[in-house]
Amino acid sequence: MPAAMPAAAQTTGPRRLIVQTALSVKRWLAPATTLFVSHQLCEVAVPVVVGLVIDRGIVDRDLPQLAVWAAVLLGVFVLLAWSYRAGVYFLVNGIQRAHHELRMRVSERSLDPRGFGDRQRPTGELLGIGGSDVQRVAFGGLLFVHPVAELAAVVAAGAVLISIAWPLGLAVILGGPAFLLLLDRFGRHLRSRAEHQQRLTADSASLAANAIAGFRTLTALGATGRASRTYADASERARVAAIATRRAEAWFVAVSSTATGIFVVAIGVIAALLAFQGAITVGQLITVVGVVQVVMGPMEALAVNVGAVWARAGASAKRVLSLLEAPYARDTRAGEQAGPAATIPPAPALAVAGLAGTHLRGLDFAVERGEIVGVVAEAHDAAELVELLGGRIHPPRGTVKVDGLPLDEVDADRLHELVTAAPHAAHTVPGTVAANVVGIGRAASSPGDALAAAAFDDVLEQLPQGIRTPLGGAGRTLSGGQRQRLALARALAAPAPVLVLHEPTGAIDAVTEQHIGERMRTATAGRATVVVSSNPQLLVRADRVLVLRDGMLAAEGTHDELLATHPEYAEAIA
């Protein structure tokens, strides 16, 4: 079945995404642009008015004219300061709103239950895209404010210079755009380096996030050293790429600043020669020099914005688009073919055939109802298996079926009715203890039963209102182990007939782990349960254990059988 494309996504390019993001807050950026244009025009007007003060007030010794133009100069300064202050207000609000809206789009796509149909996306990659990449795209909106104001300053300066000496004005108006086009071509190399560096940084962040998530498994498998070396290598590549990018950016800024300075100084020298020849007045000379100094800043900023800022925003926009336009693992309409929920058999089994992904290769196994199957695997294999069994990502090859029904044909809104895949990380939601257990759906058993099965009953005795005790923000009133027990209770209380647990006791002490293991069989009765863990307290109670190596099934048997026949298994769970 071909993967469905996101309904809201349109095939577009990085530049169009930057433009669309800016246009989404145009009611903020439009007044910001107007105010910054006003600010830049006032900057150009200051040397013009100073020149008039000199020519009409001081040189001519005309006090009324001096007073008039001094008052005009004061008004220009007031407008200049006010325009900048108000422009910053509108600009900051617009950029932050664009940042928020795009971040929400990325978050919704990342958390969409239909998953990704092209490949698995590590947590680190999702965090990188939703964080720094989204911020750079949103800040691309600066290109629709500052460059417009800076270009207005260049045009105004050219007009002023034309009124004084037309060759100077033409040099600014015609030479400026040509100069910027050359800088844009020079900036292509920088854009390529920026994209490469951001990709390497995201890769190292993904490795770090995955290593932290699977630390217990890595420790059990004795693979922490290899994981550390892998991360160190990736981090070193990202460091080298970042230095190369900053070096290229520094060269770009240096070359553009030097070229701009030479261009503007040349105009000032020509103006000085004209004044020496008597072609322009002293006030006009001061005006030309002042305007040239003022226009130097906008021209340099234009070069940097068109080059460096655009390079970073464009590279990040590509990564954001790769997420927003990723195909779904399933279409929301696909579930219509499966019929209403009532037609799903009450006690389905889990069947995996030829399952393959980024790390997994050709897995085949089945879990009958009432059966508990343990899985011991390396961190990246374990994480991918949980994602595939939970239907969060679409397998490139193979199938995952619940009582014969392929998960990729199930409506994303109904997926939770078939499979509960509890993540390794323990999260809480605002509300009471009971709301954290059964508030996300109809429970298959009472909250008390699920909490007891998760060995949370001793915690309830310490809470002032028992299961009605409200939890603080992010569950801060509970310890890490208590939050994990609460998350386990939530998974056990969910109605799905297939339960997938990923290191459900990684932050829990050994005594509590034993209590949970003893209650696991009763708590999962009638369900097909997969426990991806290296914890012997859980594996000893599994009907059988699957051992994965390099993404393939390396051994299968009961806990005791594997201990007796496979030394590697004993090392992995030690």
Side-chain angles (χ1 to χ4, degrees):
M1 174 181 172
M5 290 296 293
Q10 299 178 354
T11 301
T12 183
R15 295 190 176 189
R16 185 173 179 182
L17 176 63
I18 297 171
V19 172
Q20 289 175 342
T21 303
L23 290 178
S24 67
V25 290
K26 59 185 177 182
R27 70 187 187 93
W28 291 93
L29 296 189
T33 302
T34 302
L35 289 165
F36 275 105
V37 167
S38 173
H39 171 76
Q40 290 289 353
L41 294 180
C42 288
E43 291 274 15
V44 174
V46 168
V48 174
V49 178
V50 169
L52 292 172
V53 168
I54 293 173
D55 281 345
R56 300 187 181 181
I58 298 176
V59 174
D60 294 343
R61 299 182 181 275
D62 190 334
L63 289 179
Q65 285 290 319
L66 179 62
V68 169
W69 289 110
V72 172
L73 183 61
L74 176 63
V76 169
F77 273 115
V78 171
L79 181 59
L80 183 150
W82 180 86
S83 298
Y84 182 81
R85 184 183 182 89
V88 169
Y89 169 78
F90 282 100
L91 179 61
V92 170
N93 272 277
I95 294 298
Q96 292 301 322
R97 289 171 186 269
H99 185 195
H100 173 75
E101 291 174 6
L102 185 58
R103 186 172 66 247
M104 290 300 100
R105 286 179 60 191
V106 169
S107 299
E108 290 172 2
R109 182 65 189 93
S110 300
L111 300 174
D112 195 298
R114 288 168 287 184
F116 298 101
D118 51 355
R119 64 179 177 85
Q120 182 184 14
R121 282 170 169 77
T123 303
E125 178 183 346
L126 296 177
L127 291 175
I129 294 176
S132 58
D133 285 319
V134 166
Q135 184 182 49
R136 291 190 187 101
V137 173
F139 272 72
L142 295 173
L143 297 171
F144 301 90
V145 178
H146 288 309
V148 173
E150 290 152 2
L151 185 60
V154 173
V155 173
V160 170
L161 294 176
I162 285 178
S163 67
I164 296 174
W166 65 265
L168 299 178
L170 288 181
V172 172
I173 294 176
L174 299 181
F179 173 70
L180 294 176
L181 288 176
L182 290 175
L183 288 176
D184 181 63
R185 293 183 64 86
F186 182 71
R188 291 179 182 177
H189 177 64
L190 176 60
R191 288 192 288 270
S192 176
R193 280 186 175 273
E195 183 178 349
H196 178 62
Q197 183 260 326
Q198 290 168 25
R199 183 171 62 252
L200 291 178
T201 302
D203 290 344
S204 62
S206 299
L207 287 173
N210 294 336
I212 293 172
F215 180 76
R216 183 187 179 97
T217 302
L218 288 171
T219 303
L221 295 175
T224 53
R226 185 173 68 178
S228 297
R229 289 190 298 272
T230 301
Y231 172 72
D233 292 341
S235 181
E236 176 64 15
R237 290 193 297 269
R239 184 188 70 84
V240 172
I243 293 175
T245 301
R246 294 298 176 266
R247 185 182 296 117
E249 184 175 325
W251 273 106
F252 178 83
V253 173
V255 170
S256 63
S257 299
T258 302
T260 303
I262 293 173
F263 179 76
V264 176
V265 168
I267 295 177
V269 170
I270 296 174
L273 292 175
L274 292 175
F276 183 77
Q277 296 171 359
I280 59 177
T281 67
V282 175
Q284 289 174 330
L285 173 60
I286 293 176
T287 296
V288 169
V289 173
V291 168
V292 166
Q293 289 179 331
V294 167
V295 82
M296 181 183 293
M299 289 190 69
E300 290 179 356
L302 269 173
V304 172
N305 287 335
V306 172
V309 176
W310 183 261
R312 290 192 293 267
S316 290
K318 285 185 178 181
R319 289 170 49 77
V320 172
L321 281 176
S322 71
L323 176 69
L324 294 178
E325 296 187 341
Y328 292 123
R330 62 188 57 80
D331 194 339
T332 53
R333 297 169 298 177
E336 298 173 1
Q337 303 172 0
T343 63
I344 299 178
L350 176 67
V352 174
L355 187 62
T358 305
H359 305 289
L360 302 178
R361 294 187 287 172
L363 285 186
D364 293 281
F365 66 90
V367 185
E368 299 296 336
R369 50 185 176 270
E371 186 180 19
I372 300 177
V373 173
V375 177
V376 177
E378 295 182 0
H380 50 270
D381 293 343
E384 185 175 43
L385 179 62
V386 173
E387 293 285 305
L388 289 167
L389 295 182
R392 297 193 184 103
I393 58 176
H394 179 68
R397 295 183 302 279
T399 58
V400 178
K401 296 182 179 180
V402 175
D403 200 38
L405 180 63
L407 287 186
D408 57 4
E409 296 182 6
V410 177
D411 185 349
D413 296 332
R414 288 187 48 236
L415 186 63
H416 68 280
E417 299 176 9
L418 300 179
V419 181
T420 294
H424 172 64
H427 302 288
T428 60
V429 297
T432 64
V433 172
N436 270 270
V437 178
V438 300
I440 59 174
R442 298 180 59 186
S445 58
S446 68
D449 294 337
L451 289 167
F456 196 82
D457 41 1
D458 63 329
V459 181
L460 286 178
E461 296 175 358
Q462 303 172 16
L463 298 178
Q465 301 179 49
I467 62 173
R468 291 184 293 276
T469 301
L471 300 179
R476 295 189 185 92
T477 55
L478 303 177
S479 67
Q482 291 171 343
R483 287 197 299 271
Q484 191 164 47
R485 282 188 270 173
L486 188 63
L488 176 59
R490 181 189 306 135
L492 295 175
V498 174
L499 176 63
V500 181
L501 301 175
H502 186 196
E503 292 290 358
T505 60
I508 300 175
D509 62 88
V511 175
T512 306
E513 283 181 337
Q514 183 175 356
H515 293 329
I516 292 174
E518 293 169 351
R519 303 168 188 178
M520 183 67 69
R521 176 70 61 180
T522 302
T524 61
R527 308 171 77 175
T529 304
V530 178
V531 181
V532 183
S533 176
S534 59
N535 186 346
Q537 294 286 359
L538 301 178
L539 297 175
V540 72
R541 291 168 175 83
D543 296 288
R544 53 196 170 93
V545 179
L546 310 179
V547 181
L548 306 186
R549 284 289 184 273
D550 298 324
M552 297 185 294
L553 183 62
E556 180 177 358
T558 66
H559 174 72
D560 294 335
E561 291 172 348
L562 292 172
L563 280 178
T565 59
H566 287 77
E568 293 182 359
Y569 175 74
E571 294 177 3
I573 66 171

